[in-house]
Amino acid sequence: MEELKDTSIHHTALRLAEDVKTMKLYGNLYKMVQKLSCSPEVDKDDMKQTLESAIKTNGLEIEIRNVIYHLIRNSVKSDTRPTPASSDPLNYLRRAGIQWERRVRKSLNSMCSESKAQLHGQMRTASDREEILSKWDELSTYQIDLSNYRPVYAPKDLLDVLLSLKGPMKQDETDFLPKWEFSHISLTVKNLFELRVHFSELLRNDNNFGDWSMTCQKILKTHHAPLCQQALKKGVTPPPLRGALWSYVLGSHVDQHHVEHWEALRQSVLTNESIVDKLVFKDVQLTATNDDRYFVFEDVLYQIMLCFSRDTEISQLIQVEFTNSAKAKQYEGPPCGFVPFHGICMLAAPFCYLYDNPVSLYYTFRAFYIRYCHRLTTINTHPQGIVSLCLLFEKLLQTHEPQLWSHFRELQIQPIRVVFKWLMRAFSGHLPPEQLLILWDLILGYDSLEILSLLAIIILSFRRESLMQVTSVENIEAILSDLSSVKVLPLVQLTLSRD
């Protein structure tokens, strides 16, 4: 058994070593090890031991550990296991995801035809190039006609598709299962007890928060990503240290190749215009510009989202399947691999509170989007994808708030409709920024989006009395429209500690 274990570890190590070689940072790591090999710290007669010691004393071991940590985390793709279509109960859901992506791409291509614009852009005129360059730091003053442009889709459009999904259901179960909107979907989601176990560290009675800022500073000095992730689990991250902790957890520290890539994206924006540029400007103007908490970041959001839409590395890292039939007509998407939706810039806006440097902001936002947010905007079978979060929300509501559940059913209002925008935007634009950042601390600390469904239930639960007194969806939405009084951490702790 030990031999098998050793063999398995050996093969895993070999595979990881090969994966590291394909990464852009490999060249720098290799050069650093080469320099150490030639240093006086390494004895050629005892190369292995002395080189390992030199790697540790020079801090290179932690850097390599962090690389492996992020490589292992990002290589776990629950949707990539091949399953025969005939035996896969979720095959219809995967098909729906492909059809949805095809539909939004088709809408984008139709918009291109109507406006006679090219999807992948065309060269800017010399005058336009000079204007956008001179206004790069003040893009809110860049004049652009958006009167004929509209968002390709909004959260409501995706929800309508999700609610229309029809999957296989066993005949003998139809009379006994509660009629949830997503009950026919064979996805496994946690119950409240399992969530309590997963978020158990939130229930620890640690009262030594006075020294917590100093402890976080010590953690940052270790440069160790898993320790930084552990620090975020408390939900009391010192605001001045949050940006640095997030960068370690997401592996988004900026190296020279990152700066060069950002500059290439920036040059692409300056030299080529695309229809997606218009959608970016439209989205920022419809959302962040009209929000008192984010309007001051309008200029930097234009920079971030314009570069984001051109970043081909995103589509390579997400690796979403877009085609399912050779017969069906295929439609091109933007360089980033997906079509921006109404409100996408609000997923980037909170990062403006953490970073002054747009390059650091960009790479941390990009890493957060790739690891989490893209699962909220596509139809997928991931255990923390938007479908699973909707199912989790409905099961928790029906099980732990039966009175509210019955009230919604009597009014013939689908409960998911009043919270879906919270889930799809991870509460950005709904919670005050300081509370939103605490919520996102917990997402990163526990590597879980399930906290979104849990918080949605908690908010409905604490406003139950008011909700029970109204009879229209408009009044329900009015009651839930202002979340300025919501305190994330105490509410989550209180709910998880209840019997």
Side-chain angles (χ1 to χ4, degrees), residues 190-203 400 454 494-499:
K190 292 183 176 71
N191 55 37
L192 189 58
F193 174 78
E194 290 167 327
L195 289 173
R196 191 175 291 133
V197 171
H198 185 70
F199 296 104
S200 59
E201 292 189 48
L202 285 174
L203 302 179
H400 299 283
L454 181 61
L494 179 61
T495 302
L496 292 175
S497 63
R498 286 177 175 173
D499 294 330

Side-chain angles (χ1 to χ4, degrees), residues 13-35 60 63-64 67-68 71 255-258:
L14 287 176
R15 180 174 55 81
L16 288 172
E18 290 301 315
D19 288 343
V20 170
K21 289 179 182 178
T22 65
M23 301 172 74
K24 288 186 176 180
L25 52 74
Y26 173 70
N28 287 336
L29 281 177
Y30 189 73
K31 287 177 183 177
M32 291 166 72
V33 174
Q34 275 186 321
K35 286 181 181 179
L60 195 54
E63 190 169 342
I64 294 171
V67 169
I68 299 301
L71 198 58
D255 294 322
Q256 185 56 36
H257 70 269
H258 292 114

Side-chain angles (χ1 to χ4, degrees), residues 36-44 46-48 50-52 54:
L36 281 179
S37 302
C38 301
S39 70
E41 297 176 65
V42 177
D43 182 356
K44 65 178 181 179
D46 188 14
M47 175 69 87
K48 181 179 179 183
T50 54
L51 181 57
E52 285 182 3

Side-chain angles (χ1 to χ4, degrees), residues 272-410:
N272 293 279
E273 62 176 340
S274 161
I275 190 170
V276 179
D277 296 350
K278 313 291 194 304
L279 298 178
V280 165
F281 276 92
K282 189 81 171 181
D283 187 56
V284 173
Q285 290 179 14
L286 290 174
T287 54
T289 305
N290 292 321
D291 193 311
D292 329 358
R293 300 160 295 191
Y294 296 109
F295 75 94
V296 294
F297 303 122
E298 180 181 2
D299 292 320
V300 73
L301 282 173
Y302 287 133
Q303 293 180 11
I304 298 301
M305 299 311 298
L306 287 171
C307 290
F308 189 74
S309 68
R310 288 164 164 76
D311 196 340
T312 56
E313 289 184 359
I314 297 172
S315 60
Q316 295 165 10
L317 290 166
I318 292 178
Q319 295 180 345
V320 179
E321 183 183 7
F322 292 136
T323 59
N324 67 336
S325 172
K327 296 179 181 178
K329 182 179 178 181
Q330 305 306 326
Y331 297 93
E332 283 192 280
C336 63
F338 59 88
V339 178
F341 64 94
H342 175 55
I344 189 173
C345 78
M346 294 304 292
L347 295 173
F351 291 88
C352 297
Y353 280 98
L354 304 184
Y355 304 98
D356 295 327
N357 182 347
V359 182
S360 298
L361 192 163
Y362 177 77
Y363 281 104
T364 304
F365 160 60
R366 189 184 83 160
F368 188 79
Y369 187 91
I370 289 169
R371 179 142 191 92
Y372 301 107
C373 298
H374 85 275
R375 297 173 185 160
L376 301 176
T377 63
T378 57
I379 301 174
N380 58 78
T381 59
H382 194 279
Q384 291 182 49
I386 191 64
V387 181
S388 294
L389 295 186
C390 290
L391 180 58
L392 174 61
F393 166 79
E394 291 198 333
K395 287 196 171 185
L396 289 175
L397 183 66
Q398 202 272 346
T399 306
H400 299 283
E401 287 294 341
Q403 190 179 9
L404 258 183
W405 174 265
S406 299
H407 182 60
F408 275 106
R409 305 308 276 173
E410 287 171 9

Side-chain angles (χ1 to χ4, degrees), residues 242-261:
R242 180 176 275 122
L245 287 167
W246 284 23
S247 293
Y248 277 112
V249 174
L250 289 165
S252 59
H253 276 97
V254 176
D255 294 322
Q256 185 56 36
H257 70 269
H258 292 114
V259 176
E260 292 169 359
H261 184 59

Side-chain angles (χ1 to χ4, degrees), residues 40-263:
E41 297 176 65
V42 177
D43 182 356
K44 65 178 181 179
D45 295 325
D46 188 14
M47 175 69 87
K48 181 179 179 183
Q49 293 297 330
T50 54
L51 181 57
E52 285 182 3
S53 177
I55 286 173
K56 288 180 181 179
T57 55
N58 285 273
L60 195 54
E61 181 193 23
I62 293 295
E63 190 169 342
I64 294 171
R65 283 180 180 273
N66 287 343
V67 169
I68 299 301
Y69 165 78
H70 292 298
L71 198 58
I72 291 173
R73 285 179 86 206
N74 296 331
S75 64
V76 179
K77 301 184 187 298
S78 61
D79 277 346
T80 57
R81 296 189 300 270
T83 308
S86 58
S87 62
D88 182 6
L90 296 175
N91 189 53
Y92 76 97
L93 195 57
R94 294 188 176 91
R95 286 200 310 271
I98 294 168
Q99 290 164 1
W100 166 253
E101 182 60 32
R102 184 174 177 274
R103 171 179 161 183
V104 294
R105 286 188 173 200
K106 181 180 180 182
S107 297
L108 180 60
N109 279 261
S110 298
M111 193 179 294
C112 288
S113 300
E114 291 170 12
S115 59
K116 297 180 180 178
Q118 294 183 21
L119 178 58
H120 290 282
Q122 55 193 15
M123 292 289 290
R124 295 184 186 276
T125 62
S127 58
D128 188 26
R129 193 158 54 246
E130 288 176 11
E131 183 185 4
I132 195 170
L133 176 60
S134 65
K135 295 179 177 179
W136 178 252
D137 293 321
E138 296 178 333
L139 283 170
S140 54
T141 63
Y142 177 65
Q143 297 299 315
I144 185 170
D145 181 13
L146 301 174
S147 56
N148 295 324
Y149 295 92
R150 64 192 184 282
V152 177
Y153 73 100
K156 181 182 178 298
D157 300 312
L158 178 58
L159 177 60
D160 288 340
V161 173
L162 292 179
L163 291 174
S164 69
L165 292 175
K166 301 297 180 186
M169 181 183 287
K170 297 179 181 178
Q171 292 298 318
D172 57 345
E173 290 182 351
T174 54
D175 296 331
F176 302 101
L177 283 176
K179 298 299 186 288
W180 295 313
E181 313 301 347
F182 296 92
S183 61
H184 60 280
I185 298 178
S186 305
L187 289 170
T188 302
V189 296
K190 292 183 176 71
N191 55 37
L192 189 58
F193 174 78
E194 290 167 327
L195 289 173
R196 191 175 291 133
V197 171
H198 185 70
F199 296 104
S200 59
E201 292 189 48
L202 285 174
L203 302 179
R204 291 185 179 179
N205 294 319
D206 292 335
N207 298 317
N208 58 340
F209 291 145
D211 299 325
W212 184 239
S213 180
M214 191 178 298
T215 302
C216 286
Q217 289 177 23
K218 291 179 180 177
I219 289 172
L220 281 173
K221 286 179 182 178
T222 68
H223 308 297
H224 199 209
L227 273 181
C228 293
Q229 183 183 9
Q230 192 68 23
L232 294 176
K233 288 186 176 182
K234 288 181 178 291
V236 288
T237 306
L241 306 180
R242 180 176 275 122
L245 287 167
W246 284 23
S247 293
Y248 277 112
V249 174
L250 289 165
S252 59
H253 276 97
V254 176
D255 294 322
Q256 185 56 36
H257 70 269
H258 292 114
V259 176
E260 292 169 359
H261 184 59
W262 165 263
E263 186 56 32

